Amino acid sequence: MTNEDKKIIPAASVNPEEMDKNGLGRRGFFRWITVGWIAFSAATGGFFTLIIRFLFPNVLFEPPQTFKAGFPNDYASNTVDTRYKKKFNVWMVRDEGSIFALSTVCTHLGCTPNWLGTENKFKCPCHGSGFRMTGINFEGPAPRPLERFKISIATDGKILVDKTKSFKWEKGEWEQSESFLKV
Amino acid sequence: MLQTFKDIIDILSVPTISFTFLTVAFPFIFPPSDWFEKVHRKLGIWRLWTKPGFYGGMIAITGFFVIGYFDPNFHITLTKADNFPIVLMVYSMFITIWWSMYQAYENDARLEKGLKPMEYNDPDDKVLVWPDLVYIEFIALILFMVFLIVWSILVAAPLEEPANPASTPNPSKAPWYFLGLQEMLVYFDPWIAGIVFPMFIIIGMMAIPYMDVNKKGDGYYSFKERRIGMFIFMYGWLVLWLFLIVIGTFFRGPNWNFFGPFEFWDPHKVVPLNNVNLSEYVWVKLLGQGMPANILLRESIGFLALVGYMGFLPILLAKTWLKNYFQEIGPVRYTFLMMFGLSMLALPIKMYMRWLFNLKYIIAIPEWFFNI
Amino acid sequence: MEKNKNKKSFLERMGESQVWKSIIRSGVPRSRRQRMQAVLGSVFLHLHPARLPKHAVKVGYTWCMGGLSFFLFVVLTITGILLMFYYRPTVEYAYTDIIDMAEQVPLGIMRELHRWGAHAMVLTVWLHMLRVFMTGSYKPPREFNWGVGVLLMTLTMFLSFTGYLLPWDQLAIWAITVGTNMARAHPFIGHEGPGASLLAIGDINLVHAGSDVRFALLGGRFVGEASLLRFYVLHCIGVPFIVMILMAVHFWRIRKDGGISGPL
């Protein structure tokens, strides 16, 4: 009876240590299959990471992000200048004491608002967001004010707008000296 | 006379009125319980799903479009090439929903008498695919292709001015099948209306067969056996999706302002939209003090409201009103059903809060791009 | 007269020819058996079973919408391939190529067929979904196939959406600008989404305008040359590839889940 029972039990489960001498025991098998699966997952994961990385090129061929926007005296106070809107997506705004470069990209979904001079506001045609001359949002779905770009005076006295750096009101960045020009 | 009629339509179609009307009328059109069913029968709304109801509906829709066609303002929107699919959509949706409800009511009556639904045939009495089905498919194909060719010859595909990144057309609309989403964007932040809700719609729709444990009504038109599921789905589909598409197409004009169908699209129409966040209501208007500097403290009311709505409300419902239902479907199904159902309901709730209190955000943390 | 009786008709002779038999093994489908064999022996007709319950062939039950959606997919593939002969996906040429397609190319309604067909396909897919819901056909054992169908519906709209940009007109660019800006607000992987600012090492944001999901979609920080190419590739190859795989699953599962739904 006991002899017969022993016969039925598979050899590998009898004594793992003993099996290791001849070949792969149960413990060794699980060790190897774990290593194998980890290696496989890592390789697959790495491959898909590379695929995702493939979507992001190293060099972008986009238009230059800095431009010169005339002299400070070109702008009358309390006006919004739209002449750089088409080419550079920037409004030059001069209020009482300063000039700043306002982004024309609506903070809601990136449409280009229109400056309505009579109503003294920017109004976005896509979802109706409204912004005051300063760029502060006051109506519609826009979650935050328009962004301002870095602005400075170049060596030739002209205004230099650098679109690579933007200033957000909600982070208190409009206080920073690079975000406006004192006039 | 006609002008008065148009003025009335213009007033009635304002979303605050038309949406409210649809929402209130909806349970009487697709009654989810016995009480609504009784009113539905008493008021004769069920006649909508009979043949006279079909003719009435078709005449109403056609009349609206005919009057619109001869109206100088609505003519412009209606005859835009890209809006033709919406006209098709309105007709085809009405016809198909009428047709399925018509058959559903017939089947309901049969089932009440103990008969099998009319789709039922003896399982041994089958027809051959060749030729019985293949010919039907062939004819449908040809008719549809003829329709498509005629449509293509008559209506040129729209092509506007070349792309100009500097000037946005006013109004600027998404493709018509996404106008429901664009309408949601008026009430919710992009990450909710553009990402979370679409995800929920897709996953929620895929989850329907797993949440709907009602085994009845499988494979034939019926209403009464599955009226609650039908009611929820039809409200989402008809009111929160198709109706918003119609609004977005025909009623949204320059600056995304609302315009009645017969109203002139005046780009200078001024609609005050001064929206206030919940935190401003509480801290500034109610407590009369400044906003706290700590962001989480500032928005704590909003977080409480959100947790109460998505977290405590389901638990409360499971213990009271939906007790039996909760026991029937179990906690996992119930959690998912509540998650999708309450998110769906959040849209009309937010719409009403906007209309009634000018509420902008329940939680407003623009610093983290986290607005709800 | 007798001679004529023995003479086989043209159809019969054709059905016995080696060519016919090599293609359609069952001969001219006249008898019940031959008709069933015609369906079973054809790779295309084999989408269907040989026999169906009576209600399944009624237009009043199925509205033909699933079949028409598939047919429209075929029509759109064919017209799309034809359009690709004339269309160059660059900012410089895209718009003028579209105009040429209507004015310089014979049979100038090819773009109309493609565009209206695309709109019609969105409608037929919606109606198909509605029919399946109204008849409760999503219920077990067809839950999985309903899920595949929902994905197919989403992809249909996405196909239509990617095609929207290609004419490179005002309608196109602004619809895509608005549409892809939603991706900008994607939690964590969009640079203006909640949680994106948490993914940073020190002062360096990992998720910014040049590294988020919107960039992956557009190939740039705004809708331009690279976006046009990416949408073109997605529209012509990428999404149809996924759609075809899912369609195969969808059709196969109809048969495996017990054929078309119906009352038991």
Side-chain angles (χ1 to χ4, degrees):
Chain A
M1 180 74 189
T2 43
N3 275 345
E4 273 175 84
D5 266 354
K6 262 183 188 167
K7 270 180 197 166
I8 297 170
I9 296 168
S13 63
V14 177
N15 193 346
E17 273 80 1
E18 207 169 280
M19 284 303 293
D20 270 342
K21 287 171 197 161
N22 315 339
L24 205 56
R26 185 201 266 170
R27 221 171 269 164
F29 175 71
F30 279 115
R31 205 176 295 140
W32 276 108
I33 209 161
T34 312
V35 171
W37 274 110
I38 289 174
F40 176 74
S41 314
T44 318
F47 182 65
F48 279 107
T49 314
L50 286 180
I51 287 185
I52 290 173
R53 182 62 185 84
F54 178 82
L55 294 172
F56 297 92
N58 291 334
V59 180
L60 271 183
F61 300 97
E62 288 180 342
Q65 297 291 302
T66 55
F67 67 97
K68 286 192 175 164
F71 296 99
N73 290 337
D74 293 354
Y75 305 100
S77 70
N78 282 322
T79 55
V80 171
D81 190 289
T82 56
R83 83 182 88 161
Y84 300 104
K85 178 184 168 190
K86 194 165 181 179
K87 208 167 170 193
F88 298 107
N89 289 325
V90 165
W91 285 301
M92 301 302 292
V93 185
R94 178 168 175 171
D95 60 9
E96 257 91 66
S98 63
I99 296 179
F100 48 86
L102 208 55
S103 160
T104 63
V105 178
C106 177
T107 51
H108 183 230
L109 281 174
C111 293
T112 310
N114 298 306
W115 170 245
L116 305 177
T118 46
E119 287 155 44
N120 218 18
K121 69 178 181 187
F122 300 102
K123 185 79 178 169
C124 183
C126 286
H127 304 92
S129 299
F131 304 89
R132 300 208 189 285
M133 201 172 97
T134 51
I136 301 277
N137 56 324
F138 69 99
E139 62 177 9
R144 52 200 182 85
L146 296 171
E147 290 176 13
R148 293 183 183 181
F149 292 125
K150 183 179 167 185
I151 190 168
S152 57
I153 296 281
T155 42
D156 58 357
K158 284 185 176 172
I159 298 176
L160 188 70
V161 178
D162 179 2
K163 284 170 64 186
T164 53
K165 179 140 181 61
S166 64
F167 298 90
K168 298 184 177 77
W169 174 83
E170 68 275 8
K171 291 189 176 168
E173 290 170 346
W174 284 9
E175 308 293 316
Q176 293 174 24
S177 60
E178 285 176 324
S179 70
F180 59 89
L181 274 183
K182 271 210 174 118
V183 201
Chain B
M1 179 61 200
L2 191 62
Q3 194 51 48
T4 343
F5 173 73
K6 284 180 181 174
D7 289 343
I8 292 171
I9 294 284
D10 277 347
I11 293 167
L12 288 183
S13 54
V14 175
T16 40
I17 295 175
S18 54
F19 191 84
T20 309
F21 173 76
L22 269 181
T23 304
V24 172
F26 211 76
F28 298 103
I29 301 173
F30 296 93
S33 75
D34 282 334
W35 185 81
F36 284 113
E37 169 94 29
K38 226 161 76 190
V39 183
H40 172 79
R41 292 278 163 197
K42 214 172 206 172
L43 293 180
I45 301 173
W46 60 277
R47 286 205 178 82
L48 191 58
W49 312 127
T50 59
K51 277 177 185 155
F54 175 72
Y55 299 130
M58 289 299 275
I59 290 169
I61 296 172
T62 311
F64 178 69
F65 284 135
V66 167
I67 293 173
Y69 186 81
F70 292 106
D71 180 85
N73 296 318
F74 198 36
H75 184 88
I76 302 168
T77 351
L78 194 59
T79 52
K80 250 194 195 160
D82 253 345
N83 288 350
F84 183 63
I86 294 106
V87 177
L88 268 187
M89 180 190 87
V90 171
Y91 273 110
S92 60
M93 287 296 164
F94 175 72
I95 293 170
T96 50
I97 287 171
W98 177 84
W99 178 235
S100 37
M101 288 305 284
Y102 175 76
Q103 297 189 79
Y105 273 33
E106 233 167 68
N107 270 342
D108 286 352
R110 285 176 72 102
L111 290 165
E112 227 158 80
K113 283 186 213 150
L115 297 167
K116 293 251 185 193
M118 58 186 166
E119 285 91 347
Y120 181 79
N121 286 297
D122 182 12
D124 295 324
D125 184 22
K126 287 189 172 176
V127 289
L128 287 177
V129 163
W130 181 293
D132 292 322
L133 178 63
V134 176
Y135 272 57
I136 292 174
E137 286 178 334
F138 188 56
I139 292 166
L141 262 170
I142 290 177
L143 288 181
F144 199 79
M145 199 62 213
V146 168
F147 164 72
L148 195 60
I149 290 174
V150 170
W151 181 7
S152 300
I153 291 173
L154 290 182
V155 190
L159 188 65
E160 295 186 2
E161 289 157 43
N164 176 5
S167 81
T168 313
N170 192 3
S172 204
K173 292 185 179 182
W176 61 272
Y177 38 84
F178 285 146
L179 281 178
L181 285 183
Q182 198 172 3
E183 194 63 27
M184 283 185 216
L185 281 166
V186 177
Y187 304 99
F188 280 101
D189 226 32
W191 76 276
I192 295 215
I195 307 287
V196 177
F197 275 4
M199 292 275 186
F200 272 27
I201 293 172
I202 295 167
I203 299 172
M205 277 185 68
M206 289 169 80
I208 287 177
Y210 302 96
M211 297 186 300
D212 180 7
V213 291
N214 180 4
K215 288 213 168 52
K216 286 180 188 159
D218 180 359
Y220 53 92
Y221 292 98
S222 66
F223 180 77
K224 211 165 180 186
E225 289 178 328
R226 38 195 290 251
R227 54 188 181 185
I228 294 175
M230 206 87 143
F231 169 76
I232 298 173
F233 180 85
M234 289 310 259
Y235 184 73
W237 176 242
L238 280 178
V239 181
L240 297 184
W241 189 251
L242 296 183
F243 178 66
L244 291 189
I245 290 177
V246 171
I247 283 198
T249 315
F250 292 132
F251 302 155
R252 286 291 182 182
N255 301 330
W256 211 249
N257 280 327
F258 179 83
F259 290 87
F262 308 113
E263 206 175 329
F264 171 63
W265 278 18
D266 176 13
H268 299 291
K269 178 176 179 177
V270 179
V271 180
L273 283 170
N274 290 303
N275 298 324
V276 186
N277 294 328
L278 182 65
S279 47
E280 285 166 1
Y281 265 119
V282 173
W283 296 109
V284 181
K285 296 205 173 168
L286 201 67
L287 300 177
Q289 62 186 65
M291 304 278 272
N294 186 310
I295 292 171
L296 290 176
L297 178 67
R298 188 185 76 199
E299 303 302 331
S300 53
I301 314 285
F303 279 111
L304 276 180
L306 184 71
V307 171
Y309 181 69
M310 294 300 285
F312 287 111
L313 188 62
I315 297 172
L316 194 72
L317 286 175
K319 296 230 158 130
T320 55
W321 190 44
L322 297 175
K323 199 172 174 183
N324 296 332
Y325 190 63
F326 175 72
Q327 269 153 8
E328 191 192 331
I329 65 172
V332 179
R333 284 200 175 89
Y334 181 80
T335 310
F336 278 98
L337 186 70
M338 279 295 138
M339 189 174 80
F340 294 126
L342 289 177
S343 310
M344 182 173 126
L345 202 61
L347 176 65
I349 290 178
K350 185 86 191 279
M351 286 163 90
Y352 277 106
M353 290 207 280
R354 177 68 59 83
W355 294 335
L356 294 175
F357 313 113
N358 283 326
L359 182 84
K360 185 166 186 183
Y361 291 126
I362 295 162
I363 300 173
I365 311 179
E367 294 90 339
W368 303 343
F369 305 115
F370 188 86
N371 303 307
I372 291 176
Chain C
M1 275 313 276
E2 254 177 42
K3 216 180 175 184
N4 268 353
K5 255 188 184 172
N6 288 339
K7 205 178 172 188
K8 287 177 175 167
S9 71
F10 172 71
L11 261 182
E12 272 167 327
R13 270 188 292 140
M14 195 175 75
E16 283 165 12
S17 71
Q18 191 189 354
V19 176
W20 178 279
K21 276 193 169 167
S22 71
I23 303 172
I24 298 160
R25 300 216 177 267
S26 54
V28 180
R30 285 236 175 90
S31 70
R32 208 176 151 79
R33 184 187 158 78
Q34 279 173 325
R35 284 172 170 174
M36 283 167 72
Q37 273 177 342
V39 173
L40 292 175
S42 157
V43 66
F44 302 108
L45 291 179
H46 193 52
L47 273 178
H48 298 300
R51 298 184 312 143
L52 277 174
K54 269 184 176 164
H55 74 276
V57 298
K58 288 206 173 102
V59 179
Y61 181 71
T62 63
W63 311 346
C64 264
M65 281 305 158
L68 283 181
S69 304
F70 177 54
F71 173 64
L72 274 170
F73 183 80
V74 175
V75 169
L76 290 168
T77 310
I78 295 169
T79 52
I81 290 172
L82 290 171
L83 290 176
M84 282 168 85
F85 291 148
Y86 287 103
Y87 173 81
R88 287 164 287 180
T90 61
V91 170
E92 193 181 350
Y93 295 120
Y95 185 76
T96 47
D97 282 352
I98 295 282
I99 291 180
D100 281 354
M101 247 180 257
E103 293 180 356
Q104 312 299 337
V105 180
L107 201 71
I109 60 161
M110 203 54 77
R111 186 169 90 87
E112 275 76 9
L113 281 177
H114 195 75
R115 187 174 182 126
W116 297 137
H119 285 319
M121 185 171 164
V122 173
L123 263 184
T124 55
V125 169
W126 283 7
L127 290 171
H128 176 59
M129 188 272 295
L130 185 68
R131 193 286 289 180
V132 170
F133 182 83
M134 290 309 239
T135 55
S137 306
Y138 58 85
K139 298 189 176 195
R142 298 182 179 80
E143 315 100 304
F144 177 74
N145 216 15
W146 165 268
V148 176
V150 171
L151 286 182
L152 277 169
M153 181 173 75
T154 315
L155 286 172
T156 305
M157 290 194 267
F158 189 62
L159 260 179
S160 193
F161 179 68
T162 47
Y164 224 73
L165 181 67
L166 305 186
W168 203 246
D169 63 345
Q170 281 286 65
L171 197 67
I173 182 180
W174 289 105
I176 304 303
T177 303
V178 172
T180 51
N181 268 314
M182 289 183 209
R184 178 158 74 174
H186 195 297
F188 293 106
I189 53 174
H191 77 279
E192 284 185 6
S197 51
L198 298 175
L199 300 173
I201 302 171
D203 270 352
I204 305 158
N205 275 328
L206 293 179
V207 180
H208 53 81
S211 73
D212 67 344
V213 58
R214 176 170 173 270
F215 188 97
L217 203 59
L218 288 182
R221 280 170 293 188
F222 42 82
V223 181
E225 194 79 61
S227 328
L228 187 53
L229 187 58
R230 282 193 184 196
F231 272 62
Y232 178 71
V233 173
L234 281 177
H235 183 72
C236 301
I237 313 274
V239 189
F241 175 68
I242 304 170
V243 166
M244 275 191 254
I245 293 173
L246 284 179
M247 267 196 318
V249 176
H250 198 60
F251 297 160
W252 185 73
R253 278 308 283 255
I254 298 174
R255 297 288 304 279
K256 290 289 148 185
D257 293 341
I260 189 163
S261 64
L264 292 170

